Amino acid sequence: MNTGWDWQLSVSVYRGKLREVVAGLFVMLGMVDGFVPKVVTRRVRLMVLEILRPAESALRRVIVMAALGIEVSVAAKREKRSAPKKSARDATKRAAPFALFDPRIRLGALMRPRRRKGRRGPGPRITEIGVDRYVAYVPPPPPLPDDELDAASLVRRLKAMQAALDDIPAQAERLARLMARRKARAKPGIVRPMRYARPPGHRARGKRPVDVILAECQQLALIAMD
């Protein structure tokens, strides 16, 4: 089915669309003119994650299309090379590597039976040792939309995605090496970068631009994998 299909054109088209999505996420998070936020409100974090998850899934499928036809040969075990230790300051400047494989579904969590919740009362009463009185349990305050949370994980994922978009060929070669290395193992692990279930961030009947991009990239990547 993929005979005659211009895969490089597809990679270029969806790369440009994902660049626009990432640029919008940078603005949404306030990363403009070199500013990097340290905290973000819970509301903004959820808004960013709702777009970031499907965007990351779409980028993985673009890399799968870009890796089509790349052949590499690697050994099952890599030789350990003595590299100089890098300081923590250099580690913070480098962008984290983009995750080329979909996060796997934990079957144990799906198969674990749910516990039935009993009727909640006013809370447990705790007895202090040596004191003949009871102390009522005070539950923690509920999370609020304006609560400030650490923004390091979002910033790291956005920078990783931006770096991957800037160099798709390098990411395609990296994916080909990872797949070849996993195939060469005595006990091969998960080789397929895309999981068989719905991609992370998938929304049924999603009408947002990122939902359409993910749906189209999913179909093309399935053809490329076959």
Side-chain angles (χ1 to χ4, degrees):
M1 295 179 62
N2 55 6
T3 303
W5 188 268
D6 193 345
W7 292 103
Q8 296 303 320
L9 178 60
S10 299
V11 170
S12 177
V13 169
Y14 289 105
R15 178 186 183 184
K17 293 182 178 181
L18 288 175
R19 279 182 179 274
E20 297 178 358
V21 174
V22 172
L25 291 177
F26 268 75
V27 175
M28 188 181 302
L29 200 57
M31 298 175 62
V32 182
D33 296 333
F35 175 74
V36 179
K38 294 184 179 180
V39 294
V40 62
T41 61
R42 190 183 304 275
R43 179 187 293 107
V44 174
R45 175 182 172 82
L46 293 177
M47 291 172 58
V48 171
L49 285 176
E50 285 183 356
I51 302 177
L52 180 60
R53 289 194 184 103
E56 289 175 335
S57 299
L59 179 55
R60 293 189 192 100
R61 281 135 186 86
V62 171
I63 295 173
V64 167
M65 290 184 275
L68 185 64
I70 297 179
E71 296 182 0
V72 294
S73 58
V74 294
K77 295 183 179 180
R78 292 181 295 177
E79 297 181 357
K80 295 183 179 180
R81 294 178 297 179
S82 58
K85 294 183 179 181
K86 298 179 180 179
S87 61
R89 182 179 299 179
D90 296 335
T92 55
K93 291 182 179 180
R94 299 192 310 271
F98 181 73
L100 299 177
F101 287 73
D102 285 343
R104 301 301 166 181
I105 301 176
R106 295 178 295 178
L107 297 179
L110 296 177
M111 299 175 64
R112 187 182 303 119
R114 295 183 178 179
R115 297 181 179 178
R116 297 184 60 182
K117 296 183 179 180
R119 181 179 299 177
R120 298 187 62 182
R125 303 184 68 85
I126 306 172
T127 304
E128 292 184 359
I129 299 176
V131 180
D132 189 14
R133 67 184 180 86
Y134 290 96
V135 178
Y137 170 75
V138 179
L144 299 177
D146 293 332
D147 290 342
E148 291 187 346
L149 305 175
D150 188 12
S153 61
L154 287 181
V155 172
R156 183 168 55 251
R157 290 168 66 175
L158 277 176
K159 287 186 176 182
M161 191 171 178
Q162 185 185 43
L165 285 169
D166 290 341
D167 199 353
I168 292 290
Q171 298 298 323
E173 293 181 2
R174 176 169 160 246
L175 177 61
R177 288 195 303 269
L178 288 174
M179 294 177 63
R181 189 176 298 124
R182 294 190 178 192
K183 289 180 181 179
R185 291 176 180 173
K187 294 181 179 180
I190 299 174
V191 178
R192 187 184 179 93
M194 302 172 357
R195 65 189 188 188
Y196 289 97
R198 292 176 177 177
H202 169 81
R203 295 182 65 177
R205 300 179 182 178
K207 301 298 182 181
R208 302 174 303 177
V210 68
D211 297 327
V212 177
I213 294 173
L214 176 56
E216 294 176 354
C217 289
Q218 172 74 2
Q219 294 179 358
L220 291 174
L222 288 175
I223 297 174
M225 288 294 297
D226 294 338

